[in-house]
Amino acid sequence: MKFKPLVIVLLMFSTVGAQAQVRHSRRSINPVGPAAANVAAQVAGQTLPIRRITLYSNGVAYIERRGAVTGHAEVNLSFKQSQVDDVLKSMVVLDLGEGRIGAVSYNSSAPPAARMADIPFTIQSETDNDLQGGLAGVLSQLQGARVTVTTNARTVSGSILTVEERKSQIDADKPALTTHALVIASENGELASFDLAEVRSVRLLDEGARRDVSEFASATASARRRDAKTITVTSDGAGSREMVVSYTVAAPIWKTTYRVVLDSAGKPFFQGWAIVDNVSEEDWTNVQLSLVSGTPISFIQPIQKPFYRYRPVVPMPEDLRLNPQVYEPGENVVLGSRTMSGVNRSSELVTVTAEPPAPVAAPGISMRGRNAMANNLLLNGASGEEKTATSLSDAIIEDKSVETAATGSEIGDLFEYRIDQPVTVRRDRSALIPILQTRMEGERVSIFNETARADRPMSGMLLRNSSALTLEDGSMTVIDGDAYAGEALIERLKPGEQRLISFALDLGTLVTVRAKEDRSPTLFVRTVGGVLEVHYYGMNRKTYTLTNQTEHPRLIYIEHPIRAGWTLSDDTPKPDGKSRTHYRFRVMLEPHQAFALNVAERQELMETYALTDLNRPTLELFISRRYVDDATRAALEKIIDLKTRITSVDVRLAAIDKEVEAITQDQQRLRENIKALTATAEARQLIARYVAKAGEQETRLEQLTKDRQQASDERARLQQELDAAIRSLNIDRTLNRG
């Protein structure tokens, strides 16, 4: 069948229907005529039931409605206010026949008070003294409108002039009686008055008046049903044809839960169920249900509310003269197109059938597949013998296949579970939907992880997903034989992957752990840039002692943590495998057997010694640890001797500098004293003494300067010898093999 998608134009109308009525006792205002009523009758009853639902694990549902329509079709879809934004940004409408999609309209999202403020009249509840209430109040606000007034005696058409109020006093002890009369002017100029108590109907002839009344009724209805939203989809065509409407809305996240039955050999039989919730206002009746695992990007954008941009008000100039504008030619600009290329992923659809249906605890839900567990709980014995009850695991007969009840396929990075049979879930109900029922590859094991428990492993199983479906995260209940064994959580498991799962504490196996840290002998020493490097391994040894305290064999997986920078030593048994954070060692224990597993790890470490800081104790350490041979020892002793001589020269230089500083300070004192003395005989003798002493100090300073220069030259020579000795020293010696 040929069809083409059409562009959908979303228009906002302030009315939700073609008819609105304002009633006053048995009198009424008829704003529309019989033609509009006939159109409404033609489009009534055209609906699009839900045919397909896809639930995503990110909290979004994709709804597809499909059905037959005829002629001019108007389909009203009801949504909650919170759903409209999602619907408006995702709705797709297709007419699969020769029809043409028209406007998709919805009632305005403006507040009812704002909508009613634009209507030129108001209607309040009827009171005796208030013209704003009842029919009198409505007609009094429609002055000038053309109407047709019908009473029991006559029918007159004209324009409303006024509604007059009349009071009559019948009983002096009672309040005056108030009545109202409608005054109209007919087309021939005749004025007519009608007692409103005798008026049967007033028909509005002006289109504007009818529209005002209809808009007021719509705004009033919106104020009463604030959470209700109606979206109307229209299509024009001839004859019967198929119409499709799809959209996305927020929905509860679907969940998965699993059951595993272990037989006497520990082989698992697997059941997978999906939990779906229908919180909508509509039943899901015989819908095609799909469950998608993944997290596509989804967001909410408030697009249903009208938005306005601020525009400044510019006054009109007094002298408005608009001159034509002339623009200079510009350079030609060629807009290039950019092609996006990618890989077209085509995934093979894997269909897995199930056996005849078994009951499911949800209304309208059935599981496709013969359930051998339910049909074979009692097995017949020999002739004449009583029927013997069997365990749940033994009821799974080996020669009968038990397969999935869903079809699985990959959609890019997502995975879809498509339920094979139609599903029915009533409104405000939830259901368990079968998605998987098959045998799995696996075995019963125990799992020891020291961080979880330091003395006992956990009972569990090694499960391999041998089905064609991706198993989503969920809870798991384990039945061992015919008894409840425990519960577990399973993370996302793709086809072919295997996972360790624990569900109980293994009280039949005892584990003790001893740890010891050490360092290995030095591997090698070498010199790099005047630094002696000593390489060795830091060692960490851990011993796991396992004891089987039962009469049955035990298969145990020991999880040993993986540490950054550490590797297993050569004398450690090769692990059976590893995860991102742990090595896994597989140990088989016979009844009452004890076994010790030694796991040794090593980390390459290095100690450094700067040769410029080498001293006698450090050299003795090198000799005791056999880092150096005799030739290297002599070279290192020469380095130490040069360092000792340099130190001696440094001491001599320091002494010279100290004496020079002392003489300099004393000469400063002598100068200050000479300056303070007066020209007397005693002063002249003291000045002469100071001058003589200063002369002796100058002679000493000259000698100290020569001594310092000699010491500096000697130190420079020794430093050159030391640097040359360090550069010429080349140590690269292997002591042990790692």
Side-chain angles (χ1 to χ4, degrees):
M1 179 182 296
K2 291 185 177 180
F3 67 91
K4 56 181 179 179
L6 300 177
V7 177
I8 303 172
V9 181
L10 298 178
L11 300 178
M12 292 187 293
F13 293 95
S14 59
T15 59
V16 294
Q19 296 183 354
Q21 293 183 346
V22 179
R23 299 183 180 275
H24 175 74
S25 183
R26 290 183 299 173
R27 304 180 299 277
S28 63
I29 299 177
N30 298 324
V32 296
N38 292 336
V39 172
Q42 292 176 3
V43 301
Q46 303 209 47
T47 60
L48 296 179
I50 296 177
R51 295 304 184 196
R52 186 163 69 93
I53 298 176
T54 303
L55 300 178
Y56 291 82
S57 56
N58 67 336
V60 173
Y62 177 79
I63 310 295
E64 181 181 297
R65 295 176 177 270
R66 186 184 294 259
V69 296
T70 57
H72 174 76
E74 291 189 5
V75 180
N76 294 325
L77 306 176
S78 180
F79 299 98
K80 295 180 180 179
Q81 184 74 29
S82 58
Q83 297 175 323
V84 176
D85 287 323
D86 282 330
V87 174
L88 293 181
K89 70 179 174 63
S90 63
M91 177 178 284
V92 176
V93 181
L94 298 175
D95 192 317
L96 305 186
E98 299 298 329
R100 182 180 62 185
I101 301 299
V104 178
S105 61
Y106 60 97
N107 46 316
S108 173
S109 298
R115 295 175 57 189
M116 288 188 289
D118 295 334
I119 301 174
F121 67 94
T122 60
I123 301 176
Q124 301 176 1
S125 59
E126 181 180 7
T127 60
D128 292 338
N129 299 319
D130 189 2
L131 273 179
Q132 297 297 320
L135 182 61
V138 174
L139 296 176
S140 65
Q141 298 177 78
L142 295 176
Q143 286 181 310
R146 296 177 59 254
V147 296
T148 297
V149 181
T150 302
T151 65
N152 291 330
R154 55 179 175 162
T155 298
V156 179
S157 298
S159 300
I160 297 178
L161 294 181
T162 186
V163 176
E164 62 176 330
E165 182 177 318
R166 300 174 180 176
K167 294 188 177 184
S168 59
Q169 189 74 36
I170 299 177
D171 189 345
D173 297 334
K174 296 182 179 180
L177 180 63
T178 301
T179 59
H180 297 89
L182 172 64
V183 180
I184 66 173
S186 63
E187 295 179 354
N188 56 11
E190 180 181 355
L191 298 180
S193 177
F194 301 88
D195 191 336
L196 288 183
E198 299 176 356
V199 173
R200 293 175 53 192
S201 67
V202 178
R203 181 181 175 188
L204 300 178
L205 302 180
D206 290 345
E207 179 64 27
R210 292 201 302 267
R211 183 174 62 253
D212 290 343
V213 172
S214 178
E215 288 182 358
F216 184 86
S218 173
T220 304
S222 298
R224 187 178 69 255
R225 300 187 305 271
R226 294 183 179 181
D227 195 40
K229 204 75 169 179
T230 300
I231 295 180
T232 302
V233 181
T234 62
S235 177
D236 291 308
S240 178
R241 60 197 185 276
E242 189 175 15
M243 188 173 180
V244 179
V245 177
S246 65
Y247 50 84
T248 62
V249 292
I253 297 174
W254 66 278
K255 303 167 286 292
T256 51
T257 179
Y258 304 98
R259 296 94 171 95
V260 175
V261 181
L262 299 177
D263 60 14
S264 57
K267 301 301 181 181
F269 171 78
F270 204 86
Q271 273 192 344
W273 298 76
I275 300 176
V276 297
D277 307 287
N278 180 8
V279 297
S280 67
E281 300 296 326
E282 186 175 356
D283 293 341
W284 297 347
T285 304
N286 293 329
V287 300
Q288 181 63 53
L289 182 64
S290 295
L291 310 173
V292 175
S293 169
T295 309
I297 295 177
S298 181
F299 56 87
I300 298 175
Q301 188 176 41
I303 59 178
Q304 60 173 308
K305 294 182 180 180
F307 288 95
Y308 301 93
R309 288 189 179 275
Y310 169 75
R311 295 184 299 163
V313 178
V314 180
M316 187 69 68
E318 296 180 0
D319 185 11
L320 183 60
R321 291 179 296 181
L322 299 179
N323 297 323
Q325 301 294 310
V326 178
Y327 300 94
E328 296 180 355
E331 296 180 358
N332 294 330
V333 179
V334 179
L335 299 179
S337 61
R338 182 178 62 181
T339 303
M340 297 183 63
S341 62
V343 178
N344 183 14
R345 298 183 177 179
S346 177
S347 58
E348 181 180 359
L349 188 66
V350 181
T351 303
V352 186
T353 59
E355 300 183 32
V360 178
I365 306 300
S366 64
M367 176 168 56
R368 191 170 152 232
R370 180 171 61 249
N371 192 335
M373 293 186 301
N375 296 335
N376 297 279
L377 291 179
L378 295 179
L379 300 179
N380 293 327
S383 177
E385 296 180 355
E386 297 182 356
K387 294 181 179 179
T388 303
T390 61
S391 66
L392 187 62
S393 60
D394 292 337
I396 304 172
I397 302 176
E398 294 293 339
D399 59 353
K400 293 186 178 180
S401 62
V402 185
E403 299 178 346
T404 58
T407 298
S409 63
E410 291 187 1
I411 312 175
D413 292 333
L414 308 179
F415 191 87
E416 178 186 18
Y417 302 87
R418 180 169 296 178
I419 310 304
D420 293 336
Q421 296 295 322
V423 172
T424 298
V425 183
R426 304 300 179 190
R427 54 181 289 188
D428 293 329
R429 298 292 296 273
S430 300
L432 281 169
I433 309 295
I435 59 175
L436 176 64
Q437 180 166 278
T438 185
R439 300 187 187 283
M440 289 286 191
E441 296 180 8
E443 56 186 345
R444 185 187 287 112
V445 299
S446 295
I447 308 156
F448 179 77
N449 189 311
E450 188 179 7
T451 59
R453 190 179 176 94
D455 60 343
R456 298 278 182 185
M458 301 294 293
S459 291
M461 60 180 166
L462 178 61
L463 179 69
R464 182 180 180 274
N465 184 6
S466 54
S467 71
L469 301 182
T470 295
L471 304 183
E472 188 65 16
D473 300 357
S475 61
M476 175 186 296
T477 300
V478 180
I479 308 297
D480 194 350
D482 55 358
Y484 167 80
E487 297 175 355
L489 292 176
I490 183 173
E491 295 182 344
R492 186 185 178 99
L493 192 63
K494 287 186 169 292
E497 286 186 322
Q498 63 181 15
R499 193 73 49 81
L500 285 173
I501 299 171
S502 62
F503 50 81
L505 184 64
D506 182 0
L507 298 177
T509 305
L510 181 64
V511 182
T512 58
V513 182
R514 295 193 309 274
K516 179 182 178 182
E517 292 187 359
D518 197 0
R519 60 171 289 169
S520 69
T522 302
L523 302 176
F524 62 92
V525 293
R526 65 182 178 183
T527 53
V528 177
V531 176
L532 180 68
E533 296 180 353
V534 179
H535 293 260
Y536 64 96
Y537 283 125
M539 302 297 296
N540 182 20
R541 301 182 183 275
K542 186 170 287 189
T543 301
Y544 299 90
T545 302
L546 300 88
T547 304
N548 184 358
Q549 300 173 320
T550 69
E551 300 288 342
H552 306 284
R554 280 282 199 273
L555 176 57
I556 302 175
Y557 278 90
I558 297 177
E559 288 198 324
H560 182 82
I562 298 175
R563 298 190 296 173
W566 292 79
T567 59
L568 297 178
S569 62
D570 296 337
D571 57 347
T572 298
K574 185 178 180 180
D576 184 68
K578 68 178 182 178
S579 64
R580 182 177 57 88
T581 57
H582 289 84
Y583 297 107
R584 286 176 179 157
F585 297 91
R586 179 185 175 103
V587 178
M588 187 68 189
L589 287 180
E590 298 300 328
H592 299 290
Q593 181 188 5
F595 178 81
L597 174 66
N598 295 311
V599 179
E601 294 177 289
R602 64 186 185 183
Q603 182 184 36
E604 186 173 351
L605 301 176
M606 180 180 64
E607 294 176 354
T608 58
Y609 300 89
L611 295 180
T612 54
D613 298 331
L614 186 64
N615 53 33
R616 184 64 59 180
T618 304
L619 178 57
E620 295 296 334
L621 176 65
F622 291 171
I623 296 172
S624 64
R625 292 184 177 178
R626 298 184 298 108
Y627 292 170
V628 296
D629 53 15
D630 293 339
T632 305
R633 175 180 178 178
L636 293 177
E637 286 181 342
K638 179 181 178 181
I639 291 175
I640 294 176
D641 180 64
L642 290 172
K643 283 177 53 62
T644 303
R645 294 168 63 185
I646 290 175
T647 302
S648 177
V649 173
D650 288 338
V651 172
R652 190 163 72 251
L653 286 172
I656 294 173
D657 291 339
K658 184 177 181 181
E659 185 177 354
V660 170
E661 183 180 0
I663 293 174
T664 302
Q665 292 178 355
D666 191 54
Q667 286 186 340
Q668 179 66 28
R669 180 183 62 83
L670 293 176
R671 293 189 187 95
E672 292 176 355
N673 290 339
I674 292 172
K675 186 177 180 181
L677 292 175
T678 60
T680 62
E682 294 81 1
R684 285 194 294 270
Q685 293 177 359
L686 190 57
I687 291 173
R689 180 181 175 184
Y690 287 163
V691 171
K693 185 177 181 179
E696 294 175 356
Q697 289 179 340
E698 287 296 327
T699 302
R700 180 57 181 166
L701 285 176
E702 292 176 359
Q703 184 62 40
L704 290 175
T705 302
K706 293 178 181 180
D707 294 343
R708 194 180 193 288
Q709 183 62 44
Q710 292 175 357
S712 297
D713 293 342
E714 183 180 1
R715 190 188 189 287
R717 179 179 57 80
L718 293 174
Q719 185 64 49
Q720 289 178 358
E721 291 183 16
L722 177 61
D723 294 341
I726 291 176
R727 287 195 302 269
S728 63
L729 183 64
N730 183 16
I731 303 176
D732 190 356
R733 187 180 183 194
T734 301
L735 303 179
N736 295 281
R737 298 292 181 182

